[in-house]
Structure formats: C-alpha cells, structure tokens
C-alpha cells in the first residue's frame, strides 16, 4: 500500500462507522469494562485520525455508551446492574410493541432464515468462541428487528441493544445463562411460526429478563 493510499483510509470512514467499530469491540469484550480508551491507541487500532476518534468518543458518550472522566479521558463503563435492569425493561416494552409487525410481515422463508440464525447461535454456544456467540446473537436479533416497519422504533431497539453488558463476561456469566439464551431464540421463532402475538410477547419478555423454566436439554459443556 502506498503512502497516498494510507492517507486516504481515514477519510473514507464516517463518524458512525468508527463509533460502530468501537461499540462492536466493547460488545465483543475486545475492549473490557473499565478499560481506558486512549485516543492514540484507537487512532492506530481503527486507522483513522485523532480528530475522528475524539468525535466518535464524544458521540458514544452522548449516548451513554462510554464514560468520560474529566482530565483523564474516556473508558468502557463498568457494569451497572440497576441501569442494565432498567434498559432491559425498556427493551421489552419496545420489542413487544414491534412484535405485531414481526407476526404480520415475517414470511415462511423469513421464519426459516430466523430459525437458521437460532441454530447458528446454538452451534456457537456449544462449540464456538465467545466472539462467535456474540456475532450469532446479533445476527439473530438484527433479523428479528428487520420486520419492524417503524424506522424510529427499530433504531431505538438497536440503540438499546448497544447499551447492554459487554460480552461475554457481562452477558452470559454461566453456561446455564447461555443455554437459556439458546432456548429463548427458539421460543421466539416458534411463537412467530404459530402467528401467536401473545405468545411472542411473552417469549420476548422472558428472553430479555432470562425468566424461563429450565430446558430438558443437557447443559452446555
């Protein structure tokens, strides 16, 4: 790569793209809770200018996705159980509202695709890395949100997902929790397939809260 080509790389990345790269690394656990986000390191990590890094961090701070400590800089937030519970409660409200669109607009082919994503997450849960689990989980939920016809509602749901715990430590602390997440995906797909809005809303609430009966399926090892 020539020097001229290297200089053009930062210009091609937008503020949103850099912000998304940072939050993706946080959600994957590549940037852990409490880790300082040094601008010089992030400039190298994401191949962009210091100004764009600063703007991206300011953007994420405005959304409460990173912390800003005066005279010190930015860092990945430490888990806040109370706030995470509140975020989950709001997510449940929004996703239950979007459930009607899912029932109405998801075709049989869409449902089959969604079940494929659920199978991919199950495979990652049993055999994949933590990063693979996060990516499979995101793919499932992004497909689920795609049926929502209200653009603002869909954007809010996606934004709130970013405010969840950094994975994998914060999201699935035990194998039982990982098994519950796997079971929850299939419960969502089953409810959509039955075109049962009440059942889907119940499955959404249970999936977000983790409140469901244990599956007869053996524990993930």
């Amino acid at each position: 790569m020539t020097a001229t080509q290297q200089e053009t790389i930062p210009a091609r990345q937008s503020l949103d793209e850099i912000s998304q790269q940072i939050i993706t690394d946080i959600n994957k656990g590549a940037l852990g809770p409490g880790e300082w986000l040094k601008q010089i390191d992030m400039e190298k990590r994401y191949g962009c200018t210091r100004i764009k890094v600063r703007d991206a961090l300011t953007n994420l701070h405005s959304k409460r996705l990173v912390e800003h400590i005066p005279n010190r800089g930015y860092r990945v937030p430490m888990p806040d159980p109370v706030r995470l519970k509140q975020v989950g409660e709001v997510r449940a409200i929004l996703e239950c509202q979007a459930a009607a669109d899912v029932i109405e607009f998801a075709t049989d082919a869409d449902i089959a695709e969604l079940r494929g994503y659920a199978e991919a997450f199950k495979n990652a849960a049993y055999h994949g890395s933590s990063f693979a689990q996060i990516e499979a989980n995101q793919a499932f939920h992004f497909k689920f949100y795609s049926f929502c016809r209200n653009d603002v509602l869909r954007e809010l749901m996606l934004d709130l997902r970013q405010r969840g715990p950094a994975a994998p430590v914060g999201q699935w602390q035990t194998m039982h929790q990982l098994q519950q997440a796997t079971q929850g995906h299939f419960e969502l797909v089953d409810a959509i397939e039955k075109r049962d809005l009440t059942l889907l809303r119940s499955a959404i609430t249970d999936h977000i809260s983790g409140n469901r009966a244990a599956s007869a399926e053996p524990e993930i090892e």
Side-chain angles (χ1 to χ4, degrees), residues 26-30 130-131 133-134 165-174:
I26 292 174
N27 283 338
K28 287 183 175 181
S130 296
F131 283 8
Q133 293 164 8
I134 292 300
V169 176
Q171 188 162 4
W172 301 304
Q173 295 179 344
T174 67

Side-chain angles (χ1 to χ4, degrees), residues 37-86:
L37 303 173
K38 298 179 181 179
Q39 294 181 27
I40 187 171
D41 294 339
M42 302 191 77
E43 179 183 357
K44 296 176 182 177
R45 183 185 186 100
Y46 301 112
C48 60
T49 65
R50 188 79 58 87
I51 292 175
K52 285 196 172 182
V53 168
R54 187 182 303 118
D55 288 345
L57 291 173
T58 300
N59 177 45
L60 293 175
H61 176 250
S62 71
K63 298 179 180 180
R64 300 176 64 102
L65 298 175
V66 300
E67 289 182 335
H68 180 251
I69 310 301
N71 302 318
R72 296 200 63 183
Y74 295 89
R75 70 180 181 184
V76 180
M78 295 296 292
D80 180 344
V82 173
R83 182 168 180 80
L84 292 178
K85 182 176 183 294
Q86 293 173 346

Side-chain angles (χ1 to χ4, degrees), residues 1 13 23 35 52 77 86-87 92 116 130 137 140 157 161:
M1 180 180 293
Q13 297 190 85
I23 203 62
E35 183 171 344
K52 285 196 172 182
Q86 293 173 346
V87 168
S130 296
N137 187 52
F140 177 91
M157 291 189 296
R161 277 197 62 79

Side-chain angles (χ1 to χ4, degrees), residues 131-204:
F131 283 8
Q133 293 164 8
I134 292 300
E135 289 173 349
N137 187 52
Q138 288 180 340
F140 177 91
H141 286 282
F142 288 174
K143 178 64 179 179
F144 183 89
Y145 295 160
S146 72
F147 303 117
C148 179
R149 292 302 189 263
N150 185 312
D151 293 339
V152 175
L153 177 55
R154 185 171 60 253
E155 289 167 6
L156 286 173
M157 291 189 296
L158 289 168
D159 180 62
L160 282 178
R161 277 197 62 79
Q162 304 280 28
R163 303 190 186 202
V169 176
Q171 188 162 4
W172 301 304
Q173 295 179 344
T174 67
M175 291 299 99
H176 177 66
Q177 289 175 335
L178 192 55
Q179 184 189 21
Q180 281 195 317
T182 301
Q183 179 184 346
H185 289 163
F186 286 107
E187 290 174 354
L188 292 170
V189 178
D190 289 344
I192 299 169
E193 195 167 50
K194 294 175 182 177
R195 307 294 179 178
D196 188 327
L197 180 57
T198 300
L199 183 61
L200 178 57
R201 285 174 170 165
S202 177
I204 288 170

Side-chain angles (χ1 to χ4, degrees), residues 4 14 20 104 113 118 150 212:
T4 301
S14 69
Q20 184 58 54
E104 181 176 356
E113 184 179 358
N150 185 312
R212 64 170 52 79

